[in-house]
Amino acid sequence: MEAVLEKRKDSKMTGKTGSREAPERPRPLGMVRNIGIIAHIDAGKTTTTERMLYYAGKVYKMGEVHDGTTVMDYMIQEKERGITITSAATTCFWRDHQVNIIDTPGHVDFTVEVQRSLRVLDGAVGIFCGVGGVQPQSETVWHQADSYGVPRIAFVNKMDRMGADFDRVVSEIRKRLGSNAVPVQIPWGSEENFRGIIDLISMKVLTFDEESLGSKINYGPIPSDLAVAAEKARAELIEKVAENDEEVLAVYMDNPDVPAAVLKEGIRRKVISGELIPVLCGSSLKNKGCQQVLDAVVDYLPSPFDVPMIKGHHTGTGAEVSREADDFGPTSALAFKIVNDSYVGRLVFVRVYSGRLKKGQNIYNSRTKKREKIGRLLQLHADSRTDVETLFSGEIGAIAGLKQATTGDTLCAENAPVELERIHFPEPVMFMAIEPKSRADRDKLAEAMNALAAEDPTCVVRTDPETGQTIISGMGELHLEILRDRMLREFRVEANAGKPMVAYYETVTKAGRGEYVFDRDIGGHRQFAQLTVEVAPGKRGSGNNIEIKLSKNIVPEEFWQSIEEGLNDGIMTGVLGRCPVIDIAVRVIDAKFIPEISTEVAFRTAAVMAFREAVMGSMPEFLEPIMELEIITPGEHMGDVIGDLNGRRGKVREMEARGMSQIVRAGVPLAELFGYSTAIRSVTRGRASYTMEPEQFEIVPEAIKQELLNR
């Protein structure tokens, strides 16, 4: 993380004097903001986004999540459940700045949407519930933003709710997220007495006119009973900004009452470098504080000009390549999402990092090494689209007409090829079997599965080699339910689905080696290949790494792909219980090739068998997904809750008092959590609530291993 922040500071200090802008672009690059709205489920992301669009004049009526009338939650499944399932992009204008917004889901099952959105954004607004504070998914999305070095501001929402506590939430952001959170606003009152906000920059009280739905803001002097607290909070803000900021420090030394303009510039520099998180407050549902969030986006979050140049690798030489936001530079864009639109067809969402994308031009895909023609270019507003002729550097839009692009592909100029870092996604934790109800649905099911897997990288479709069943894997019960529902409604596929089941994996616990000689007559022709493979355990969560350490004189390079495909076959099918193998390093260290009789089929088969032999000699074990569970329960039910967790093989890690309630954080195997919502209601008489998210994979106990082997 420090390296990322250093890069951001260096980039800000050196500037980008080489950036050039096309005269026809609608807004100068410095007046563009690409931001995401991130938070735990039910913190108020979509409600806040709806208010921002209303005040910016993008929509003329505020939609409500509970009524199913929001613009950003446009899927039928979102309207029915009152949650965000897929990230929606839109563009609005505030203070003459172009603000591209992506509203992301808060439910853990759809964390992939947050992951790929943060990959292409320059800044983010983290929303926290004034009552719930930092919740499990808040931590997940915050750390995802940390991994990409995305500058953030924080908005403490629902200050009008019973139990809202601004100071506690700020303290939790500092403690649990390790962030330098500093209020730039403090609330005037709380719970039912929440009246407005005190702006520490201008030292004014802001109240919001109810008749105009908060559009009219009244500015007044700070009440005498809050003056001391406001002065203290402003002094703390100035001290935090003046740390390591020479310009603000120089002004502060002459005059402790730093002017607002100087303070804003200092905050902006600290936010872009990742050293400061300004904290705002309000109530989106009551139309209080949302315009100030837009102001903070414009004032503090970076433009594409302010962030470091994107780095990638030349597809031919492998050398590191940089691309800066320059309309006249070589084109480079990242495809971060695929959507199948019933009217437009297949849409590829892209972030343009350098150069321009023009309607009708050919674009080169660095993964497929092929050219494709851009059919249409679209600017996005949730489920509606506007045709444009050009997407400029720093912009987010969609391309219609690309058939071969997938999530994570780099689209670039053929004479300046570059491959940007791909987006990494978590492993699925649940699966279910699915089959068509009739023969007529078989082809439609396959088509639907392919389309859903192309849209969602955490939706993995495979065929069980023994039963022939189609298996669909996802991130949780809700994820699988939504996929099944979309098949029925969008693709008109009638299908039977089994019960969701835990997705177990396999791994190795020590290094091992395997050798296999494939020498057979097939169809009257002898086919030969010999391979020696080594496997070793990797760090938990590191994924798989395949390395072919062979000289081209031993095995010609054209056979290497077959070897890699064979190893991937072995990884997908495992050795203990047909479960995929994860977190291993695989190396091909020796081989034998006979020119006349060695074939691709022989090498692929030898790779599978040598891999299996190596894994069997490396003490393979099953892995199961462990969920991080956070339970909020009344104190009198604490013993029952912990007793129930112990019976589910859970490990309690932390307990914390919050008012009259107790918070329990524990790690529990997913296999033990089916039906937990009913159980926790029974144990606590319906008074407890909980949230959970995937945490890691752990080796199963011996008794569970024997059950899996005997299945």
mmCIF file of all heavy atoms in Angstrom, residues 625-645:
data_model
loop_
_atom_site.group_PDB
_atom_site.id
_atom_site.type_symbol
_atom_site.label_atom_id
_atom_site.label_comp_id
_atom_site.label_asym_id
_atom_site.label_seq_id
_atom_site.Cartn_x
_atom_site.Cartn_y
_atom_site.Cartn_z
ATOM 1 N N PRO A 625 -14.532 -23.244 2.443
ATOM 2 C CA PRO A 625 -14.613 -21.792 2.649
ATOM 3 C C PRO A 625 -15.021 -21.465 4.082
ATOM 4 O O PRO A 625 -15.945 -22.058 4.627
ATOM 5 C CB PRO A 625 -15.682 -21.346 1.648
ATOM 6 C CG PRO A 625 -16.480 -22.573 1.358
ATOM 7 C CD PRO A 625 -15.576 -23.750 1.555
ATOM 8 N N ILE A 626 -14.291 -20.530 4.669
ATOM 9 C CA ILE A 626 -14.598 -20.023 6.002
ATOM 10 C C ILE A 626 -15.203 -18.628 5.842
ATOM 11 O O ILE A 626 -14.670 -17.789 5.117
ATOM 12 C CB ILE A 626 -13.336 -19.941 6.881
ATOM 13 C CG1 ILE A 626 -12.648 -21.315 6.951
ATOM 14 C CG2 ILE A 626 -13.683 -19.436 8.272
ATOM 15 C CD1 ILE A 626 -13.466 -22.401 7.608
ATOM 16 N N MET A 627 -16.327 -18.403 6.509
ATOM 17 C CA MET A 627 -17.013 -17.120 6.430
ATOM 18 C C MET A 627 -16.716 -16.295 7.672
ATOM 19 O O MET A 627 -16.646 -16.826 8.793
ATOM 20 C CB MET A 627 -18.525 -17.321 6.305
ATOM 21 C CG MET A 627 -18.948 -18.291 5.216
ATOM 22 S SD MET A 627 -18.431 -17.795 3.565
ATOM 23 C CE MET A 627 -19.614 -16.482 3.257
ATOM 24 N N GLU A 628 -16.542 -14.990 7.447
ATOM 25 C CA GLU A 628 -16.436 -14.076 8.588
ATOM 26 C C GLU A 628 -17.850 -13.639 8.951
ATOM 27 O O GLU A 628 -18.560 -13.043 8.144
ATOM 28 C CB GLU A 628 -15.587 -12.857 8.234
ATOM 29 C CG GLU A 628 -15.415 -11.912 9.400
ATOM 30 C CD GLU A 628 -14.606 -10.677 9.059
ATOM 31 O OE1 GLU A 628 -14.221 -10.521 7.892
ATOM 32 O OE2 GLU A 628 -14.381 -9.858 9.966
ATOM 33 N N LEU A 629 -18.250 -13.955 10.161
ATOM 34 C CA LEU A 629 -19.618 -13.715 10.615
ATOM 35 C C LEU A 629 -19.604 -12.606 11.658
ATOM 36 O O LEU A 629 -18.793 -12.626 12.589
ATOM 37 C CB LEU A 629 -20.177 -15.009 11.222
ATOM 38 C CG LEU A 629 -21.678 -15.157 11.399
ATOM 39 C CD1 LEU A 629 -22.380 -15.166 10.057
ATOM 40 C CD2 LEU A 629 -21.977 -16.455 12.142
ATOM 41 N N GLU A 630 -20.469 -11.613 11.486
ATOM 42 C CA GLU A 630 -20.631 -10.568 12.498
ATOM 43 C C GLU A 630 -22.081 -10.591 12.966
ATOM 44 O O GLU A 630 -23.003 -10.423 12.165
ATOM 45 C CB GLU A 630 -20.284 -9.192 11.945
ATOM 46 C CG GLU A 630 -20.423 -8.091 12.990
ATOM 47 C CD GLU A 630 -19.994 -6.722 12.505
ATOM 48 O OE1 GLU A 630 -18.776 -6.484 12.446
ATOM 49 O OE2 GLU A 630 -20.874 -5.905 12.171
ATOM 50 N N ILE A 631 -22.281 -10.808 14.253
ATOM 51 C CA ILE A 631 -23.624 -10.934 14.834
ATOM 52 C C ILE A 631 -23.834 -9.796 15.819
ATOM 53 O O ILE A 631 -22.980 -9.528 16.669
ATOM 54 C CB ILE A 631 -23.785 -12.281 15.564
ATOM 55 C CG1 ILE A 631 -23.435 -13.442 14.627
ATOM 56 C CG2 ILE A 631 -25.194 -12.440 16.108
ATOM 57 C CD1 ILE A 631 -23.132 -14.730 15.340
ATOM 58 N N ILE A 632 -24.971 -9.117 15.700
ATOM 59 C CA ILE A 632 -25.364 -8.086 16.663
ATOM 60 C C ILE A 632 -26.536 -8.651 17.452
ATOM 61 O O ILE A 632 -27.602 -8.947 16.898
ATOM 62 C CB ILE A 632 -25.767 -6.779 15.957
ATOM 63 C CG1 ILE A 632 -24.615 -6.266 15.088
ATOM 64 C CG2 ILE A 632 -26.170 -5.724 16.980
ATOM 65 C CD1 ILE A 632 -24.965 -5.055 14.255
ATOM 66 N N THR A 633 -26.330 -8.829 18.751
ATOM 67 C CA THR A 633 -27.340 -9.499 19.578
ATOM 68 C C THR A 633 -27.511 -8.771 20.908
ATOM 69 O O THR A 633 -26.555 -8.179 21.428
ATOM 70 C CB THR A 633 -26.929 -10.969 19.842
ATOM 71 O OG1 THR A 633 -27.912 -11.592 20.669
ATOM 72 C CG2 THR A 633 -25.575 -11.049 20.526
ATOM 73 N N PRO A 634 -28.713 -8.797 21.490
ATOM 74 C CA PRO A 634 -28.875 -8.278 22.860
ATOM 75 C C PRO A 634 -27.996 -9.068 23.822
ATOM 76 O O PRO A 634 -27.780 -10.279 23.640
ATOM 77 C CB PRO A 634 -30.368 -8.507 23.149
ATOM 78 C CG PRO A 634 -31.011 -8.595 21.805
ATOM 79 C CD PRO A 634 -29.990 -9.217 20.905
ATOM 80 N N GLY A 635 -27.510 -8.395 24.854
ATOM 81 C CA GLY A 635 -26.565 -9.021 25.777
ATOM 82 C C GLY A 635 -27.085 -10.286 26.428
ATOM 83 O O GLY A 635 -26.330 -11.231 26.667
ATOM 84 N N GLU A 636 -28.413 -10.349 26.705
ATOM 85 C CA GLU A 636 -28.939 -11.517 27.414
ATOM 86 C C GLU A 636 -28.902 -12.790 26.579
ATOM 87 O O GLU A 636 -29.027 -13.898 27.120
ATOM 88 C CB GLU A 636 -30.377 -11.259 27.901
ATOM 89 C CG GLU A 636 -31.380 -10.970 26.804
ATOM 90 C CD GLU A 636 -31.613 -9.479 26.595
ATOM 91 O OE1 GLU A 636 -30.643 -8.705 26.781
ATOM 92 O OE2 GLU A 636 -32.744 -9.090 26.256
ATOM 93 N N HIS A 637 -28.738 -12.658 25.253
ATOM 94 C CA HIS A 637 -28.690 -13.848 24.394
ATOM 95 C C HIS A 637 -27.258 -14.216 23.979
ATOM 96 O O HIS A 637 -27.069 -15.106 23.159
ATOM 97 C CB HIS A 637 -29.530 -13.623 23.138
ATOM 98 C CG HIS A 637 -30.987 -13.435 23.415
ATOM 99 N ND1 HIS A 637 -31.786 -14.415 23.954
ATOM 100 C CD2 HIS A 637 -31.788 -12.352 23.242
ATOM 101 C CE1 HIS A 637 -33.025 -13.954 24.097
ATOM 102 N NE2 HIS A 637 -33.052 -12.710 23.675
ATOM 103 N N MET A 638 -26.284 -13.525 24.572
ATOM 104 C CA MET A 638 -24.889 -13.722 24.165
ATOM 105 C C MET A 638 -24.449 -15.177 24.338
ATOM 106 O O MET A 638 -23.838 -15.775 23.444
ATOM 107 C CB MET A 638 -23.994 -12.816 25.014
ATOM 108 C CG MET A 638 -22.559 -12.840 24.601
ATOM 109 S SD MET A 638 -22.296 -11.789 23.182
ATOM 110 C CE MET A 638 -20.571 -11.431 23.426
ATOM 111 N N GLY A 639 -24.753 -15.791 25.475
ATOM 112 C CA GLY A 639 -24.320 -17.170 25.734
ATOM 113 C C GLY A 639 -24.917 -18.152 24.741
ATOM 114 O O GLY A 639 -24.224 -19.059 24.252
ATOM 115 N N ASP A 640 -26.195 -17.960 24.400
ATOM 116 C CA ASP A 640 -26.844 -18.860 23.444
ATOM 117 C C ASP A 640 -26.233 -18.730 22.054
ATOM 118 O O ASP A 640 -26.053 -19.732 21.346
ATOM 119 C CB ASP A 640 -28.344 -18.558 23.376
ATOM 120 C CG ASP A 640 -29.064 -18.857 24.688
ATOM 121 O OD1 ASP A 640 -28.608 -19.787 25.393
ATOM 122 O OD2 ASP A 640 -30.041 -18.167 25.005
ATOM 123 N N VAL A 641 -25.921 -17.494 21.673
ATOM 124 C CA VAL A 641 -25.326 -17.261 20.350
ATOM 125 C C VAL A 641 -23.959 -17.927 20.249
ATOM 126 O O VAL A 641 -23.645 -18.616 19.269
ATOM 127 C CB VAL A 641 -25.211 -15.745 20.062
ATOM 128 C CG1 VAL A 641 -24.354 -15.489 18.831
ATOM 129 C CG2 VAL A 641 -26.594 -15.140 19.877
ATOM 130 N N ILE A 642 -23.133 -17.762 21.285
ATOM 131 C CA ILE A 642 -21.789 -18.350 21.263
ATOM 132 C C ILE A 642 -21.869 -19.871 21.323
ATOM 133 O O ILE A 642 -21.108 -20.582 20.646
ATOM 134 C CB ILE A 642 -20.941 -17.786 22.421
ATOM 135 C CG1 ILE A 642 -20.650 -16.301 22.156
ATOM 136 C CG2 ILE A 642 -19.640 -18.564 22.580
ATOM 137 C CD1 ILE A 642 -19.893 -15.605 23.249
ATOM 138 N N GLY A 643 -22.793 -20.395 22.110
ATOM 139 C CA GLY A 643 -22.969 -21.850 22.156
ATOM 140 C C GLY A 643 -23.357 -22.416 20.799
ATOM 141 O O GLY A 643 -22.857 -23.470 20.381
ATOM 142 N N ASP A 644 -24.233 -21.703 20.091
ATOM 143 C CA ASP A 644 -24.641 -22.140 18.754
ATOM 144 C C ASP A 644 -23.452 -22.095 17.787
ATOM 145 O O ASP A 644 -23.272 -23.006 16.970
ATOM 146 C CB ASP A 644 -25.772 -21.246 18.247
ATOM 147 C CG ASP A 644 -26.275 -21.672 16.888
ATOM 148 O OD1 ASP A 644 -26.889 -22.745 16.788
ATOM 149 O OD2 ASP A 644 -26.038 -20.935 15.914
ATOM 150 N N LEU A 645 -22.625 -21.055 17.904
ATOM 151 C CA LEU A 645 -21.444 -20.952 17.037
ATOM 152 C C LEU A 645 -20.471 -22.096 17.294
ATOM 153 O O LEU A 645 -19.894 -22.668 16.357
ATOM 154 C CB LEU A 645 -20.734 -19.609 17.254
ATOM 155 C CG LEU A 645 -21.434 -18.364 16.717
ATOM 156 C CD1 LEU A 645 -20.667 -17.112 17.120
ATOM 157 C CD2 LEU A 645 -21.560 -18.436 15.206
#
